[in-house]
């Protein structure tokens, strides 16, 4: 299962990627409303993405958020690592009772990282757009 904060951050990144062609910042409220993410929670996630260099923000009446780099260069791992910053670094401890367990956690995280690094935000956006089935009315 993917933590909600990663899901929301990925949805925000996808929305910013979808709107990147306009080169206009996306207001927080628009981003929250379009993805049905609580604005108070989203602002915290966007701050983490900003600290990680994935998004940038502009202030003022026409302010909002933009991707800081092309969607083709951003990966799901970038989003995961920015949001789950405290959980990403799993180091082995000298305590032999914990060493084996930490080693397993590290192997799992390394596998997850390899998978997520292989999926760019641009590729994911394309996948999402391609999978939308057209509606047919009878």
């Amino acid at each position: 299962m993917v933590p909600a904060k990663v899901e929301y951050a990925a949805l925000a990144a996808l929305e910013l990627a979808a709107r990147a062609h306009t080169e206009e910042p996306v207001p927080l409220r628009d981003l929250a409303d379009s993805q049905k993410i609580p604005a108070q929670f989203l602002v915290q996630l966007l701050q983490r993405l900003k600290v990680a260099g994935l998004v940038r923000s502009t202030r003022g009446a026409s302010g909002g958020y933009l991707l800081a780099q092309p969607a083709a260069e951003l990966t799901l791992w970038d989003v995961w690592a920015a949001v789950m910053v405290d959980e990403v670094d799993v180091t082995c401890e000298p305590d032999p009772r914990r060493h084996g367990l930490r080693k397993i956690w590290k192997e799992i995280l390394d596998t997850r990282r390899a998978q997520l690094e292989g999926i760019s935000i641009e590729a994911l956006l394309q996948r999402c757009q391609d999978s939308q089935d057209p509606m047919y009315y009878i």
Side-chain angles (χ1 to χ4, degrees), residues 23-114:
E23 298 182 13
E24 296 290 325
V26 181
L28 175 68
R29 177 59 52 200
D30 290 356
L31 199 52
D33 290 347
S34 68
Q35 294 299 321
K36 297 176 180 42
I37 301 171
Q40 313 89 299
F41 190 46
L42 181 58
V43 74
Q44 295 171 13
L45 296 174
L46 288 168
Q47 182 60 33
R48 287 190 178 197
L49 295 175
K50 185 177 174 183
V51 167
L54 306 182
V55 301
R56 57 187 172 89
S57 64
T58 58
R59 294 183 179 188
S62 61
Y65 293 87
L66 297 156
L67 290 180
Q69 50 193 292
E73 296 175 15
L74 295 175
T75 67
L76 276 178
W77 174 255
D78 296 327
V79 173
W80 182 288
V83 174
M84 302 292 287
V85 67
D86 299 330
E87 290 84 1
V88 168
D89 185 26
V90 178
T91 55
C92 290
E93 294 191 12
D95 182 344
R97 293 170 295 175
R98 295 185 180 186
H99 180 75
L101 185 57
R102 290 288 179 140
K103 189 174 178 182
I104 293 297
W105 293 143
K106 183 166 180 1
E107 288 173 15
I108 291 169
L109 188 58
D110 288 346
T111 300
R112 173 175 283 157
R113 179 179 183 158

Side-chain angles (χ1 to χ4, degrees), residues 6-20:
V6 173
E7 177 90 6
Y8 288 158
L11 287 170
L14 285 169
E15 185 68 25
L16 292 174
R19 297 183 185 202

